[in-house]
Amino acid sequence: VLLSVVLTAFVSPLFVWLTVFVGLNMLQSAFTGFCPAAMVFRKLGIKPGCAF
């Protein structure tokens, strides 16, 4: 989220949509327990931790 805010401030205002997308994904993950990013990280070979 912080990276997307920095990109919005210094690169292009259109990066605000990345911030919105990440924020909404985190919000829905908190309520449902389903996180698409966790599935992507798992497929990339990153070891699962307590958040996965």
Side-chain angles (χ1 to χ4, degrees), residues 28-51:
Q28 73 86 25
S29 174
F31 286 108
T32 65
F34 173 72
C35 181
M39 295 179 356
V40 171
F41 291 144
R42 197 173 315 139
K43 287 184 180 183
L44 289 174
I46 298 174
K47 285 187 171 183
C50 62

Side-chain angles (χ1 to χ4, degrees), residues 2-39:
L2 292 176
L3 177 63
S4 63
V5 171
V6 170
L7 288 172
T8 300
F10 294 109
V11 177
S12 171
L14 294 176
F15 275 107
V16 74
W17 292 111
L18 177 62
T19 307
V20 170
F21 174 74
V22 171
L24 288 176
N25 190 18
M26 290 171 59
L27 185 67
Q28 73 86 25
S29 174
F31 286 108
T32 65
F34 173 72
C35 181
M39 295 179 356

